[in-house]
Amino acid sequence: GQQLNQSPQSMFIQEGEDVSMNCTSSSIFNTWLWYKQDPGEGPVLLIALYKAGELTSNGRLTAQFGITRKDSFLNISASIPSDVGIYFCAGRTGGTSYGKLTFGQGTILTVHP
Amino acid sequence: DAGVTQSPTHLIKTRGQQVTLRCSPKSGHDTVSWYQQALGQGPQFIFQYYEEEERQRGNFPDRFSGHQFPNYSSELNVNALLLGDSALYLCASSLRQIYTEAFFGQGTRLTVV
C-alpha cells in the first residue's frame, strides 16, 4: 500500500531558528496536506497544496508540493515555543479516493527557549 | 460553532469485548471519516461515510464497522477487541460538495486490557 516517509523523526532547536521537514512517497498524490497535532488533540490543518510545484505560505509556515507529485516539504521560520508539537504530512490521490488521507509517521518538534 | 465532537474521550475495555465510539461532525458538514492512530504513529484511515453509506474503506478487518445517521453523526464499532486495537480513534468531518478539507475531533483514547 501507499506509504509516506517523513523526516526527520524528531528535531530539537533553539527559539528563533528555522525548521525544515519533508515527506516522500513511492506513489503520486494529487493533494498534499500538512497538519500539527498537540498532545491530547486531533490534527489541525496548517497548509493544503493542490498543484505540483505550488508554494503556499501561512504566516511563518511555507510548504511546497513537489513537481514529481511524490514529495512535499514544510518550512517554519523563526520558531517560537508554541511551535512545539508533532507535524504530519498527508497525501490524497483524489478522484474516487476523495477523503482518504495517507499520513506520514510525524516529526516531533521541540523548541528550547 | 461547535467543531467535531467525539465521545467518550477515554475508554478502557477488556479483550474480546465490543466498543462503540461516537462522533458529531462540524455544523454543516455531511461526510465523516474515521482514523486509528497508534502511539507514535500517524493516523490510519479506517473508513468514510457519506449519505449514510460506507464510501471508502482502508485496510481494516470486518471487526471494524460503522454507521452514519440522518443527522450526519456517526458511530464506529469494534468487535472482539484485541490488545492491538488500543489507540487514539479520530473522527474527521468535511463537506463533500465543495471538497472541503477535513476537520478532526480531539479523539477517543481506547485502551484494551
Side-chain angles (χ1 to χ4, degrees):
Chain A
Q2 294 170 329
Q3 287 190 335
L4 295 185
N5 295 309
Q6 193 171 342
S7 65
Q9 287 187 313
S10 61
M11 302 183 75
F12 299 85
I13 63 170
Q14 292 292 129
E15 184 177 357
E17 288 183 353
D18 295 344
V19 172
S20 287
M21 59 191 77
N22 66 76
C23 207
T24 60
S25 169
S26 57
S27 304
I28 288 174
F29 287 101
N30 290 328
T31 300
W32 282 94
L33 306 168
W34 285 91
Y35 287 88
K36 178 175 183 260
Q37 187 174 27
D38 293 325
E41 301 292 330
V44 174
L45 181 64
L46 299 173
I47 292 181
L49 302 156
Y50 300 106
K51 281 185 179 180
E54 181 180 356
L55 186 70
T56 297
S57 293
N58 177 9
R60 295 178 295 106
L61 277 63
T62 302
Q64 185 157 28
F65 190 144
I67 57 172
T68 66
R69 294 179 176 266
K70 291 184 177 182
D71 61 350
S72 178
F73 72 77
L74 175 70
N75 284 343
I76 305 173
S77 63
S79 59
I80 58 178
S82 63
D83 291 334
V84 165
I86 306 176
Y87 291 79
F88 290 99
C89 61
R92 184 172 62 223
T93 55
T96 56
S97 295
Y98 167 74
K100 174 184 176 180
L101 297 177
T102 301
F103 281 82
Q105 312 97 307
T107 295
I108 302 171
L109 179 62
T110 303
V111 180
H112 295 288
Chain B
D1 176 23
V4 179
T5 58
Q6 293 186 242
S7 62
T9 53
H10 295 83
L11 199 54
I12 300 176
K13 288 286 190 178
T14 305
R15 264 183 308 177
Q17 285 189 316
Q18 178 264 346
V19 69
T20 297
L21 310 181
R22 295 177 175 81
C23 172
S24 292
K26 180 177 168 63
S27 178
H29 283 186
D30 59 5
T31 302
V32 172
S33 301
W34 287 91
Y35 290 81
Q36 180 195 65
Q37 186 176 22
L39 202 60
Q41 301 294 318
Q44 283 203 303
F45 178 80
I46 303 175
F47 42 51
Q48 183 184 78
Y49 277 82
Y50 171 67
E51 291 186 334
E52 302 178 47
E53 288 189 16
E54 182 182 297
R55 299 293 176 165
Q56 290 177 260
R57 190 178 183 92
N59 189 24
F60 279 80
D62 292 343
R63 298 188 297 110
F64 290 77
S65 63
H67 189 78
Q68 186 179 34
F69 298 94
N71 67 353
Y72 308 121
S73 67
S74 177
E75 288 181 349
L76 165 65
N77 301 294
V78 187
N79 294 323
L81 284 167
L82 304 174
L83 295 180
D85 294 331
S86 295
L88 181 68
Y89 287 85
L90 295 163
C91 170
S93 74
S94 57
L95 180 57
R96 193 175 189 87
Q97 279 185 322
I98 61 173
Y99 295 94
T100 60
E101 296 302 338
F103 282 81
F104 282 83
Q106 84 283 3
T108 293
R109 172 69 63 187
L110 172 65
T111 303
V112 182
V113 297

